Amino acid sequence: MPLAVVTASHSPLMHTVEPRGDARNAVGSAFAQARSFAADFRPDLVVVVAPDHYNGMFYDLMPPFCVGTAAEAVGDYGTGQGRLAVDRHAAQHVVREVLAAGIDLAMSERMVVDHGFAQPLELLFGAIDAVPVVPVFVNSVAVPLGPVRRTRLLGEELGRALLALDRRVLLLGSGGLSHDPPLPTLQDASPEVAARLIAGRHPTPEERAAREGRVRDAGLAVAASKAGPRLNPDWDRAFLDLLAERRLTATDAWTNEWITDEAGNSAHEVRTWLAAYAALSVVGPYAVRSSFYRPIPEWIAGFGITMAETWRNP
Ligand SMILES: O=C(O)CCC(=O)/C=C/C=C(\O)C(=O)O
Ligand SMILES: [Fe+2]
């Protein structure tokens, strides 16, 4: 059965910080194109591959990969709160098949997700519960991270599992490209922040507002000062070329240190794109139908959106 891919950067600053020039319009047009691509494809299942930012996954038990057989969004950064329309049967199928293929992944009956899942769902489908989904968490933030190759292999097994379903499946990869927004690390954390990274579930509204305020202030500071954050458009464009040219295995040689040095701590979110494209690649040769890219300093993001499908899609 056919698979297709949409990948998109997300940004916690999209609803609070106005970027210079026509960046918001350009991103809006690219998302409109992605919406129309998704509508034309007519998916009956959307597999969202996304990271978390210490809202659902914590260091008390941090899995590299996790599939939710039920999931709820926290409602951060202006995104919707509440249950996702998880297709439980499809999620269980994915867990069974991917594990049987030798890729270890965790399963959650109560997965908690944040804007990484919610924002692209809302931008593409209008609401977090508008389409049946299988949420796939790929840790891209909480170091240490496994080798990039494991994510590519996860993607391939995900693709094989999805092919076995008699469904039209859209894979939605969320995050990236080069960027380094303010995110605490366990290594450098004060005892209070460490406690939040280890088990910071259910923050008070004041605590959540303080966290979101720190990120918003970083975006506003860029907007006010014209000082650029650490983005790497060359790295981003090279990654987009790699996807378009179907050279996914080239990422096997990437080290995590190299990714961080070149593109920033949060650039590891491109793992979600890699998993989505690796899933598509098992169907056969694919073609990238559209690729948008714009460095947007005020959103602290090398912002990209791509759409791809296999040549054989009916
Ligand atoms: O302070 C915190 O713990 C949260 C910060 C945060 O959520 C940052 C998110 C940034 C992105 O999702 C991004 O730019 O990709
Ligand atoms: Fe993110």
Side-chain angles (χ1 to χ4, degrees), residues 72-134:
E72 198 161 312
V74 295
D76 59 339
Y77 297 107
T79 58
Q81 184 177 14
R83 289 180 81 82
L84 272 55
V86 175
D87 184 322
R88 194 175 167 69
H89 169 80
Q92 287 170 339
H93 166 84
V94 164
V95 173
R96 265 196 313 271
E97 293 300 308
V98 173
L99 281 173
I103 301 290
D104 295 338
L105 87 175
M107 179 192 122
S108 173
E109 284 279 356
R110 291 186 189 171
M111 194 149 111
V112 173
V113 303
D114 67 11
H115 65 279
F117 286 81
Q119 193 173 78
L121 277 175
E122 291 183 336
L123 286 167
L124 283 186
F125 302 105
I128 57 170
D129 58 355
V131 284
V133 294
V134 172

Side-chain angles (χ1 to χ4, degrees), residues 266-303:
S266 288
H268 297 278
E269 289 184 346
V270 298
R271 287 160 187 261
T272 64
W273 293 38
L274 185 62
Y277 272 88
L280 185 63
S281 73
V282 300
V283 184
Y286 64 78
V288 174
R289 300 290 181 212
S290 173
S291 184
F292 167 85
Y293 178 69
R294 180 80 71 103
I296 307 182
E298 300 84 356
W299 289 353
I300 316 186
F303 207 100

Side-chain angles (χ1 to χ4, degrees), residues 3 27 59 77 112 119 229 254:
L3 303 186
V27 169
Y59 276 110
Y77 297 107
V112 173
Q119 193 173 78
W254 293 6

Side-chain angles (χ1 to χ4, degrees), residues 135-263:
V136 180
F137 161 75
V138 170
N139 179 25
S140 310
V141 166
V143 292
L145 304 175
V148 177
R149 178 166 176 273
R150 294 297 294 171
T151 307
R152 185 178 63 73
L153 296 176
L154 166 77
E156 287 185 355
E157 296 311 333
L158 191 56
R160 290 191 183 100
L162 295 171
L163 275 179
L165 290 169
D166 190 21
R167 312 280 290 269
R168 299 182 67 84
V169 184
L170 180 76
L171 288 126
L172 175 52
S174 169
L177 301 166
S178 65
H179 67 313
D180 210 343
L183 254 172
T185 60
L186 190 57
Q187 195 188 339
D188 302 323
S190 65
E192 293 73 28
V193 174
R196 163 159 91 71
L197 302 184
I198 294 168
R201 294 176 185 85
H202 311 301
T204 64
E206 293 73 24
E207 285 165 344
R208 180 164 302 291
R211 285 176 61 177
E212 296 192 9
R214 275 192 295 276
V215 178
R216 186 192 57 235
D217 289 349
L220 288 173
V222 174
S225 71
K226 299 189 169 40
R230 209 167 130 230
L231 305 179
N232 186 341
D234 290 341
W235 189 89
D236 293 339
R237 291 197 176 95
F239 180 62
L240 293 171
D241 289 347
L242 178 156
L243 296 178
E245 293 159 12
R246 304 195 298 271
R247 292 184 285 108
L248 304 186
T249 53
T251 60
D252 289 3
W254 293 6
T255 66
N256 293 336
E257 294 70 25
W258 179 79
I259 297 171
T260 305
D261 290 349
E262 287 288 315

